[in-house]
Amino acid sequence: MAGLPTTMRAIDPAESGGPEVLVAVERPVPVPPAGAVLIRVEAAGVNRPDVMQRKGAYPPPPGAPSIPGLEVAGEIVALGDGVEPALLGTRVCALVSGGGYAEYALADSRHCLSVPDGLSMVEAAALPETVFTVWTNLFERAYATEGDTVLVHGGTGGIGTTAIMLGKLFGLTVIVTVGSEDKAARAREIGADLAINYQTADFVEQVKAFTGGKGCQVVLDMIGGDYLPRNLDCLGDDGRHVSIAVQRGAKAEIPIWKVMSKRLTLTGSTLRPRSADFKALVADELRRTVWPHVEAGRLRPIIDRTFPLDRAADAHRRMEEGDHIGKIVLTTGDS
């Protein structure tokens, strides 16, 4: 790695806690093992799993860096053995198992996606985690197809805004729930067919009214807890429910007879612990099906706010306040 520094700035908290534990420290620049690349990070997405990791509720999987950050964008500056030499010097964004909150990060070469002209590094860094998550859960686990109506909770967060945009690109009718009228208006601007303010309306009644009593085909749920039985009420016959987070609790009581009578499918997943081979397969599928929309400018992430790496604590505070719309992104000063 001639010409590269040996140390870098990174956010690597020594203990769990509040946002104040996110302070910049010096760490060695990692060396790419076989099959991996070293990326000079220009921007890194901030995601709710990062907040959970900071609090000690979501430890990194075995072998992953203790440095948080699950998606990055930048230039490939070094290659591990077996990596195609043509990748050196290319602009990419990548899904990573950790290490994104730093000036340099490692990525499996198979998990990198090109950054086309016209896409900023901030925008590129906001894509991998949410696009991988929405694609695998909404389109693969839930089998959403053109003409389906889907309900997505958290409609103005990173997952929600991505689900709206991908849903519209692939012919879905998208209903979202949000926490204010301002967020409802923004969700409709982004493309939601119906945005329900859960503070003032019963989303179950709203979904039934919108669908003429038939219910929706898919619920993409990051809330869990007492939302789950209400979500089942939103689903029509042969509906599919996909759980991807449990913000209101990891346990729920459901009427099994309703699952049986409607022939419902309940499933869910987490992305970070999945194998590198699985993520490589998803990346290949995204290259074929989603990335043409990125290259043509039809898919651009909604950016809420950017913060320099040294202000990672402020980025986490912004996320925990819940007022953000779209993605929060850290920059290293080079983007």
Side-chain angles (χ1 to χ4, degrees):
M1 301 201 308
L4 295 177
T6 58
T7 61
M8 65 180 184
R9 286 184 304 130
I11 306 295
D12 190 11
E15 57 185 7
S16 303
E20 68 278 358
V21 304
L22 301 178
V23 295
V25 294
E26 189 174 274
R27 290 289 182 265
V29 172
V31 176
V37 298
L38 179 68
I39 299 172
R40 181 186 291 121
V41 177
E42 296 187 30
V46 176
N47 295 283
R48 197 159 296 277
D50 305 339
V51 174
M52 294 171 60
Q53 178 176 326
R54 189 204 76 219
K55 293 179 175 180
Y58 191 38
S66 57
I67 297 168
L70 301 177
E71 55 187 350
V72 299
E75 180 187 349
I76 294 177
V77 293
L79 309 175
D81 289 343
V83 176
E84 175 60 45
L87 284 178
L88 189 65
T90 59
R91 292 160 32 98
V92 298
C93 59
L95 184 75
V96 295
S97 60
Y101 290 16
E103 291 179 312
Y104 293 85
L106 295 177
D108 188 312
S109 63
R110 301 172 298 169
H111 304 165
C112 296
L113 295 161
S114 62
V115 177
D117 292 340
L119 186 72
S120 72
M121 284 298 188
V122 166
E123 291 173 318
L127 284 171
E129 173 70 11
T130 52
V131 172
F132 271 73
T133 298
V134 171
W135 186 261
T136 55
N137 288 287
L138 187 57
F139 294 95
E140 293 185 344
R141 300 199 72 80
Y143 306 108
T145 58
E146 185 175 357
D148 280 352
T149 297
V150 304
L151 169 64
V152 180
H153 291 299
T156 52
I159 295 291
T161 54
T162 300
I164 292 171
M165 293 184 291
L166 277 180
K168 300 315 294 179
L169 284 171
F170 288 90
L172 307 183
T173 297
V174 183
I175 305 170
V176 299
T177 60
V178 296
S180 71
E181 292 303 321
D182 288 344
K183 286 189 173 184
R186 188 70 181 101
R188 288 190 292 269
E189 289 175 1
I190 294 167
D193 296 280
L194 175 66
I196 305 166
N197 179 358
Y198 62 79
Q199 302 281 9
T200 59
D202 184 326
F203 69 81
V204 177
E205 292 180 358
Q206 293 285 311
V207 170
K208 287 182 177 179
F210 184 80
T211 60
K214 294 180 179 180
C216 58
Q217 283 71 53
V218 176
V219 175
L220 182 63
D221 180 46
M222 62 189 72
I223 309 299
D226 59 355
Y227 264 47
L228 202 153
R230 298 173 69 194
N231 292 340
L232 302 191
D233 288 336
C234 294
L235 286 168
D237 290 345
D238 299 300
R240 289 87 72 193
H241 184 284
V242 185
S243 298
I244 59 172
V246 288
Q247 294 177 24
R248 285 174 70 106
K251 294 183 179 181
E253 184 173 317
I254 62 170
I256 297 174
W257 62 266
K258 190 168 292 183
V259 176
M260 297 165 59
S261 63
K262 288 186 176 184
R263 303 178 301 278
L264 303 180
T265 299
L266 277 63
T267 184
S269 75
T270 56
L271 178 61
R272 192 179 191 185
R274 297 299 298 269
S275 71
D277 287 343
F278 170 80
K279 293 173 186 177
L281 289 173
V282 176
D284 284 341
E285 190 165 355
L286 292 175
R287 251 180 232 107
R288 295 193 308 271
T289 59
V290 174
W291 231 243
H293 295 289
V294 177
E295 292 167 344
R298 292 186 294 267
L299 179 62
R300 290 288 183 269
I302 306 299
I303 305 298
D304 176 78
R305 193 173 297 182
T306 64
F307 294 87
L309 182 65
D310 292 342
R311 290 181 57 200
D314 290 334
H316 275 224
R317 291 186 185 101
R318 174 70 178 167
M319 175 160 281
E320 290 184 286
E321 287 166 358
D323 293 330
H324 62 287
I325 295 177
K327 293 297 294 281
I328 300 167
V329 178
L330 298 176
T331 63
T332 63
D334 298 324
S335 61

